[in-house]
Amino acid sequence: MSSDIKNQTQRLVQWFERDALPLWSVRGIHPALGASFERLRADGEVDTGANVRVRVQARQAFFFAAAKSLGWCDSGADIACGLLGFVESNAAHPSAGGGFTHLLSPEFEVIDSKQDLYDHAFFLLAYAWLYRVSGERAALDKAEALVLHLDNCFGAEYGGWAEGDYDHTVRRQNPHMHLFEACMALYEASGEAPWLARAGELFSLFESRFFCPKQGVLFEFFNADWTLADGATGQVVEPGHMMEWVWLLDWYARLTGQSVARYTGVLYRRALDIGLKADSGLLYDSVTPEGNVLQHTKRCWGLTELIKASLVMAREGEPDAEARAASAVDTLFRYYLCGTTPGSYVDQRGENDEVVAAEAPASTLYHLIVLAQELMRYCDGVSDRAEKVSA
């Protein structure tokens, strides 16, 4: 393990401890409601005019619970409980018999009561981590009740779940990817086999539907029967999601012993080939399987997933993957963790890598803290292996 990856890991840890957590635990939380604001403006102040996505509450609950588990935020479990308690009291669906609404006004009142599958994946993830840091069985009970609600209301033919309780023209792989993540997190937290079985069903969807072995890419949009969506919509590829699946598949392999190398290497190399802007090291938001750029923008989260995938490939012996990860952390600071307010960040860069979205969505902290977890796990794992070899 090089000193570069250790130094960049410590750099990110210090950014969380010194800057991000002090900022977001105070300025990012409504002092009376205990709910998360949607985002900070470029000047670091709360954007009090922004509508608030309900899923942001779940993602922030995960963030603070994870920070608590790392010893970075003593109040993390309490903040997470407050966030979830606010949603359960103020944004539960009024008539569906379970689950949550979708969107709140700047005054934190429900203005869109639809139920969306993607939103609910993050509540399952939040419950998993709340259980990890609190040990309270109620968090697992709520997760079980929520997934039963999804089964009853949104279970769909051909596997997986419908998009929600609204009309939709395509099905997305993205909510299922995060449900895969949530089920693995719930299994790790609880040790209860049904969660791993659900993860296995979602892995099967990846193998049979989402991944295209002929082109070596992950597709995003599908018809109701999981055939590829028609026309240009069906050809959308998000390199960041390909990288994210590398990390998730590696996690699944560690839990089950199932080999996934036939997928991870292909996804990683193809994402680099078709999705990387070589001069800056940023990932395009979307491309075609041939590498034609559909969106010249580059979100912050895509780079965090590139780094996580590079750590997976470094453990698998991929040449230069560790160096690429270390360099990409430096790139993360150069292009995104460079807001004028310490602990804030830039969300999106444009065609020429200029800032096009300087606001800092609270939801991005989910990606950033998972990255920190994975960097620390990588460094600890390399150190442990070195000690065993020298013993």
Side-chain angles (χ1 to χ4, degrees):
M1 178 174 59
S2 70
S3 59
D4 285 347
I5 195 69
K6 290 190 291 186
N7 291 339
Q8 294 295 348
T9 298
Q10 188 57 33
R11 184 182 182 188
L12 186 59
V13 169
Q14 289 176 348
W15 179 82
F16 271 110
E17 292 184 309
R18 182 184 60 224
D19 298 326
L21 278 157
L23 175 69
W24 289 93
S25 63
V26 175
R27 200 172 300 177
I29 302 296
H30 192 292
L33 299 176
S36 174
F37 291 106
E38 174 69 19
R39 65 192 184 194
L40 301 183
R41 302 192 312 246
D43 63 3
E45 296 299 321
V46 173
D47 186 349
T48 56
N51 291 332
V52 181
R53 294 169 295 170
V54 173
R55 70 170 172 264
V56 168
Q57 313 306 312
R59 286 172 74 133
Q60 286 296 81
F62 161 78
F63 168 72
F64 283 106
K68 169 68 174 177
S69 75
L70 292 167
W72 296 348
C73 183
D74 291 342
S75 60
D78 292 337
I79 296 173
C81 282
L83 289 158
L84 294 172
F86 167 80
V87 174
E88 290 160 3
S89 297
N90 297 277
H93 198 279
S95 60
F100 305 105
T101 54
H102 179 65
L103 190 66
L104 308 175
S105 71
E107 292 74 37
F108 291 87
E109 297 174 348
V110 174
I111 56 174
D112 186 345
S113 61
K114 75 180 179 185
Q115 294 206 309
D116 185 76
L117 182 65
Y118 182 83
D119 295 352
H120 288 79
F122 289 100
F123 281 93
L124 291 173
L125 182 67
Y127 287 136
W129 277 82
L130 184 58
Y131 178 71
R132 287 182 71 147
V133 298
S134 71
E136 295 182 4
R137 177 72 208 186
L140 292 181
D141 293 341
K142 290 175 182 178
E144 290 171 1
L146 182 56
V147 82
L148 181 61
H149 172 69
L150 297 181
D151 287 345
N152 291 338
C153 295
F154 306 116
E157 285 189 279
Y158 307 103
W161 294 271
E163 294 293 298
D165 64 353
Y166 53 91
D167 292 335
H168 50 273
T169 57
V170 295
R171 298 180 74 179
R172 299 168 292 170
Q173 75 78 26
N174 193 12
H176 294 80
M177 176 182 75
H178 286 293
L179 285 160
F180 184 47
E181 174 189 15
C183 288
M184 289 191 289
L186 283 159
Y187 173 69
E188 272 197 341
S190 69
E192 295 174 358
W195 292 115
L196 190 59
R198 285 185 178 273
E201 294 172 3
L202 290 157
F203 174 66
S204 295
L205 267 184
F206 163 83
E207 287 190 299
S208 62
R209 303 297 185 178
F210 306 154
F211 178 71
C212 175
K214 183 177 180 180
Q215 296 176 283
V217 297
L218 177 85
F219 284 115
E220 294 289 330
F221 302 113
F222 301 85
N223 298 313
D225 62 356
W226 287 122
T227 56
L228 203 60
D230 298 332
T233 300
Q235 295 301 302
V236 173
V237 172
E238 296 192 18
H241 283 159
M242 291 175 66
M243 294 295 190
E244 199 162 2
W245 269 102
V246 171
W247 168 66
L248 288 166
L249 291 168
D250 177 70
W251 185 3
Y252 185 70
R254 287 185 278 113
L255 293 178
T256 64
Q258 186 162 344
S259 174
V260 297
R262 65 192 180 279
Y263 302 123
T264 52
V266 172
L267 285 169
Y268 180 71
R269 296 181 200 108
R270 286 285 286 145
L272 291 175
D273 288 343
I274 66 177
L276 188 70
K277 188 171 184 285
D279 59 349
S280 62
L282 307 183
L283 276 184
Y284 290 113
D285 286 343
S286 67
V287 299
T288 69
E290 297 76 28
N292 298 318
V293 180
L294 297 175
Q295 290 177 283
H296 286 271
T297 51
K298 307 106 182 165
R299 295 282 304 278
C300 172
W301 71 262
L303 190 59
T304 68
E305 303 313 307
L306 183 155
I307 300 165
K308 287 158 57 183
S310 295
L311 298 175
V312 170
M313 298 309 298
R315 283 192 294 265
E316 292 186 6
E318 179 85 3
D320 301 324
E322 183 186 291
R324 182 175 294 115
S327 176
V329 178
D330 186 65
T331 300
L332 183 70
F333 275 92
R334 183 181 310 121
Y335 284 97
Y336 299 110
L337 305 189
C338 55
T340 54
T341 300
S344 190
Y345 37 82
V346 169
D347 182 53
Q348 192 175 49
R349 295 277 177 169
E351 183 171 0
N352 298 309
D353 300 331
E354 75 280 11
V355 174
V356 295
E359 297 84 4
S363 57
T364 301
L365 289 164
Y366 151 77
H367 288 281
L368 291 167
I369 202 165
V370 174
L371 171 60
Q373 289 174 321
E374 290 303 302
L375 282 163
M376 295 168 69
R377 190 171 70 85
Y378 178 83
C379 292
D380 289 345
V382 172
S383 297
D384 289 346
R385 288 192 295 275
E387 288 179 5
K388 290 178 181 178
V389 170
S390 62

